[in-house]
Amino acid sequence: MTPAADRQWFPEAGEWTSGETEVLARAVIRAPSVHNTQPWRMELLGTDVLLYDRADPAPGGQQADERDRAISCGAAVANLGVAVSVLGRSPEVALLPDPDRPELVARVCAGRRRVPSDVDLHRYSAISRRRSYRRPFGRRALSEHQVLDLERVPAGTGVRVRAVLDRGELSAVADLLEYAGQTIRHDDRYRRELALWAIQHGRGYDGNAGTARENGVPAMPWAGLVHTMAVLPDRVLLARRLERETFLLFVTPGDTRRDQLLAGRAMEETWLAAVDAGLVASVMTRLVHLGEVRAGLAEQLGLTGCPQLVMRVGHPSGVVPSPRPALSEVVLPGHLAHRMR
Ligand SMILES: Cc1cc2nc3c(=O)[nH]c(=O)nc-3n(C[C@H](O)[C@H](O)[C@H](O)COP(=O)(O)O)c2cc1C
């Protein structure tokens, strides 16, 4: 056995075992990233996990923009924190810890030993179930409590999650989305990114595998995937759709790289909480990257800060077929919290 292989089986005190390394790496690759480019690299150093922004193009030649890469890396940091927690250590996260190495986006140290909380275990279980849900949602709206719970997930991080619920605000947002859709459809770079993404994932050019259509109209720009031939819904249709969905805006105090990392981290933590509550979601950033749309959102919704991304959340439409029994069929009565049954 080579010394390197040997170390995998007999880790020195304070090092990650190979099993733990796999838990950490799997958590990172399950994080959402722009066009699934996975713009990160992970390094393990003693009990530290270092996450780097991989600025080189991903396999396939895609190069995501800096802002989207930061948001994606923030999501990976969230998953790393959850993974470290379920491994029984308290995660201590430092964002951009070394000004001389801007590519090092986070250092996650395994702090003191502790028993993972219920929330840690639930979030960890949600990591592998979370995926982008780009279809129309089921008809049932989220309850006021559910919306409030989601808004509160990143409390204390500086990121504000703001639900857009009021009719007047929804109509203003619909105007801005219509404008954004029309603008982005003429953005060559975005169309090229989209084409690569669509080919890699074997989807139709509208990126929705023919599922996100409503009355024959592609559900654009819901998926944020707009091409020159797409039939873009007008503001009236957009406003109607918005009223049936829960639309969350993620707002940061400023627009630095740290703000973008924090927004990505808050996005993933909120998404995992939504999945844990039986909900589904998808996110878009491209629309709010347009300066006019950001300014419009800030003005129309009275926001102090910078909108970084939007998340649409809802109940899945129809029953998602599952070959697995319900938890209550395999666990003796009395062992499960009510919401897990
Ligand atoms: C910064 C960022 C921007 C994204 N923008 C969009 C978008 O505009 N439209 C979309 O449908 N999905 C968007 N996504 C979702 C990714 O496409 C998705 O996470 C990725 O393809 C992996 O799929 P999964 O979320 O199902 O794991 C974005 C994700 C991130 C992190």
Side-chain angles (χ1 to χ4, degrees), residues 35 190-199 205 225-227:
H35 304 324
Y190 186 59
R191 285 213 315 274
R192 203 177 61 236
E193 275 177 22
L194 168 60
L196 279 167
W197 184 81
I199 292 161
Y205 200 66
L225 305 174
V226 180
H227 63 87

Side-chain angles (χ1 to χ4, degrees), residues 46-318:
T47 52
D48 288 356
V49 188
L50 307 180
L51 194 81
Y52 296 93
D53 174 354
R54 200 203 56 215
D56 56 305
Q62 284 164 288
Q63 172 69 305
D65 81 16
E66 231 175 282
R67 180 190 291 274
D68 278 338
R69 286 206 317 270
I71 294 174
S72 305
C73 287
V77 172
N79 280 10
L80 265 179
V82 175
V84 169
S85 300
V86 295
L87 291 174
R89 306 295 291 253
S90 170
E92 290 162 12
V93 179
L95 294 179
L96 302 171
D98 186 346
D100 294 330
R101 295 163 75 201
E103 71 283 7
L104 177 58
V105 291
R107 176 185 295 128
V108 182
C109 304
R112 66 187 163 78
R113 292 199 179 276
R114 66 173 172 96
V115 177
S117 68
D118 274 3
V119 172
D120 297 330
L121 295 169
H122 279 251
R123 296 272 161 92
Y124 183 69
S125 145
I127 287 178
S128 56
R129 287 179 287 134
R130 183 215 58 80
R131 46 189 50 80
S132 295
Y133 189 94
R134 300 188 177 93
R135 306 188 321 191
F137 295 129
R139 296 221 165 258
R140 188 154 55 104
L142 265 63
S143 70
E144 220 172 285
H145 280 297
Q146 283 176 310
V147 176
L148 271 177
D149 282 349
L150 293 179
E151 281 183 323
R152 283 190 198 125
V153 172
T157 63
V159 180
R160 183 165 171 225
V161 178
R162 160 81 144 80
V164 183
L165 300 168
D166 171 78
R167 230 164 216 239
E169 287 185 350
L170 287 172
S171 153
V173 169
D175 283 351
L176 290 165
L177 288 182
E178 184 185 42
Y179 168 83
Q182 295 293 351
T183 308
I184 286 174
R185 108 195 300 186
H186 298 294
D187 178 336
D188 283 345
R189 180 165 170 259
Y190 186 59
R191 285 213 315 274
R192 203 177 61 236
E193 275 177 22
L194 168 60
L196 279 167
W197 184 81
I199 292 161
Q200 281 180 12
H201 292 258
R203 289 164 189 251
Y205 200 66
D206 68 2
N208 289 289
T211 51
R213 285 171 181 265
E214 201 177 30
N215 302 327
V217 181
M220 300 292 169
W222 292 121
L225 305 174
V226 180
H227 63 87
T228 39
M229 303 303 286
V231 182
L232 297 179
D234 62 18
R235 56 172 309 286
V236 178
L237 184 54
L238 284 169
R240 253 205 332 262
R241 286 208 185 124
L242 276 171
E243 280 175 25
R244 297 212 313 252
E245 308 203 336
T246 297
F247 192 79
L248 303 176
L249 264 173
F250 286 66
V251 185
T252 50
D255 193 22
T256 61
R257 199 152 163 249
R258 177 179 299 275
D259 286 307
Q260 292 150 12
L261 285 166
L262 286 171
R265 194 171 160 193
M267 168 192 80
E268 176 66 346
E269 285 170 356
T270 308
W271 204 337
L272 295 179
V275 169
D276 185 38
L279 303 170
V280 286
S282 64
V283 296
M284 293 180 275
T285 57
R286 191 70 178 178
L287 307 175
V288 284
H289 288 352
L290 295 174
E292 312 88 284
V293 173
R294 288 158 165 267
L297 284 171
E299 189 189 320
Q300 302 281 345
L301 308 184
L303 304 175
T304 48
C306 185
Q308 297 287 354
L309 63 107
V310 296
M311 180 182 279
R312 46 184 292 269
V313 190
H315 289 277
S317 54

